Amino acid sequence: MILTVTLNAAIDKRYVVEEYQVGQVNRVKECSYVPGGKGLNVSKPASIYGAEVVATGFVGGHAGNYIEDSLKPFGIKSEFYHVEAESRSCINIWDEVNHVQTEFLEPGFTLTKSDFEGFEQKFRTLVTDAKIVAMSGSVPKGLDGTAYQCLVKIVKEAGKPVILDTSGKLLEMGIQAAPTLIKPNIDEIRMLTGKTCDDINDIIEAAKEIHRNGVEIVAVSLGADGSLVVGEEGTFRAEVPKIDAVNTVGCGDAMIAGFAIGIEEGLSLPEMLRKASAVSAAAAMREETGFFCMEDMQKLLPEIKITRM
């Protein structure tokens, strides 16, 4: 079982407009509503792949009930901690004329110390049945940089692998608990190491430094240039063939789902990177956030070039 953690779950609303105009009335051509938050955008691809997925975190109010109900068609089991306040919404506006995306991300509710303590108890129980835990995204107001650090420690104490995909202080403090895998982008790896990372060799050295400091696998997003991983087996780079990208929102989360599946299946590091890259690229080919088709992924798998650096 893959346990995903979404501390700041949301309803993701996608609006398609013909030409987005700032300060003007914009008519929405199409709209869709799906359960979101980075952790749930990991849950959905993992479930589509065929993994057993349990989703936890915080939800609240009518919006929280909608999030849980919307996960049922994916076969995802909800084990959220409930609060009274309403869960947030996040809006993505897709301008289909100019091919530009604009996002509005609500901050969400404020949690109390007792809320987090209650969740912690529930989380400890869920971890015992998990094969791997993937925690992603921001945290609600009321929590600080120690939130993920605390949760990573719980998973490590249970002897289970844990993926942490977050940013800023949450990432900086979270890696002190030595998660199994992190996936920083270049700006985040600069923040963590203080290195300029102006070329690929600098990026690799920075990733190796984080690896030496206790993170088993460091995966680095290179944008259009693919990605790379550093681990005990070495350093590997993935180059993805050109695709017709429709929606890139959530592709990084789909990659985390691929890594979680790879760890669960016991794949080698280069094959884990190949699978994660294929799931991510397949997700970009579909309009719905956190969604991919298995046939797209299977077609992409042999076309992804993996190079030992």
Side-chain angles (χ1 to χ4, degrees):
M1 183 262 280
I2 296 173
L3 177 65
T4 64
V5 179
T6 313
L7 297 181
N8 214 2
I11 299 173
D12 279 351
K13 301 179 179 181
R14 187 168 194 256
Y15 299 158
V16 178
V17 298
E18 289 196 336
E19 193 160 8
Y20 179 57
Q21 299 288 329
V22 177
Q24 302 295 321
V25 173
N26 291 271
R27 300 286 179 188
V28 177
K29 187 177 175 183
E30 299 171 27
C31 56
S32 61
Y33 307 90
V34 295
K38 287 179 70 63
L40 292 183
N41 289 337
V42 174
S43 309
K44 290 180 283 184
S47 183
I48 290 166
Y49 183 85
E52 179 190 352
V53 181
V54 173
T56 191
F58 292 94
V59 294
H62 296 293
N65 293 335
Y66 177 85
I67 289 168
E68 290 189 306
D69 288 342
S70 299
L71 292 174
K72 290 175 184 175
F74 291 93
I76 298 166
K77 185 181 179 185
S78 295
E79 287 286 356
F80 287 93
Y81 187 90
H82 285 253
V83 297
E84 289 186 11
E86 289 290 326
S87 288
R88 65 189 182 131
S89 291
C90 294
I91 298 170
N92 171 257
I93 300 170
W94 171 245
D95 182 341
E96 64 179 9
V97 173
N98 299 306
H99 293 266
V100 173
Q101 293 184 126
T102 304
E103 292 186 89
F104 295 90
L105 310 180
E106 293 181 9
F109 40 60
T110 300
L111 296 178
T112 65
K113 184 180 178 183
S114 63
D115 288 330
F116 191 69
E117 287 171 351
F119 172 73
E120 232 183 300
Q121 291 180 355
K122 184 181 186 75
F123 183 67
R124 287 180 187 275
T125 303
L126 293 170
V127 167
T128 59
D129 294 325
K131 191 165 182 183
I132 178 169
V133 180
M135 46 188 77
S136 311
S138 63
V139 301
K141 290 176 289 185
L143 300 184
D144 60 19
T146 63
Y148 279 132
Q149 188 182 77
C150 171
L151 298 180
V152 169
K153 284 179 181 176
I154 290 170
V155 182
K156 295 293 291 289
E157 285 166 6
K160 309 291 177 74
V162 53
I163 298 172
L164 176 62
D165 185 27
T166 188
S167 58
K169 202 73 178 173
L170 290 165
L171 177 60
E172 192 177 349
M173 296 189 74
I175 64 169
Q176 293 174 23
T180 308
L181 184 148
I182 64 171
K183 190 185 68 64
N185 59 29
I186 295 172
D187 286 338
E188 289 161 352
I189 210 166
R190 283 175 180 143
M191 176 202 72
L192 292 173
T193 63
K195 297 183 183 297
T196 56
C197 297
D198 290 331
D199 60 41
I200 190 72
N201 293 322
D202 287 347
I203 295 168
I204 290 170
E205 285 308 310
K208 284 181 176 178
E209 180 181 316
I210 297 169
H211 169 65
R212 286 192 295 269
N213 288 335
V215 178
E216 190 178 321
I217 301 168
V218 181
V220 185
S221 305
L222 301 173
D225 295 324
S227 57
L228 63 86
V229 291
V230 171
E232 286 299 317
E233 295 175 57
T235 301
F236 301 89
R237 181 174 179 177
E239 294 174 80
V240 179
K242 187 169 175 155
I243 59 169
D244 183 16
V246 176
N247 179 16
T248 58
V249 176
C251 289
D253 305 320
M255 177 169 269
I256 291 294
F259 279 122
I261 291 161
I263 291 172
E264 188 184 44
E265 292 180 340
L267 298 182
S268 65
L269 191 55
E271 288 310 306
M272 193 188 304
L273 176 60
R274 185 189 300 278
K275 181 154 289 185
S277 300
V279 173
S280 177
M285 295 168 67
R286 299 292 165 170
E287 191 172 295
E288 185 179 327
T289 300
F291 180 83
F292 80 99
C293 290
M294 286 290 286
E295 54 264 37
D296 292 337
M297 186 210 74
Q298 288 162 348
K299 184 179 177 183
L300 284 163
L301 266 174
E303 297 178 16
I304 292 168
K305 182 182 177 184
I306 304 292
T307 307
R308 179 185 283 272
M309 304 297 287

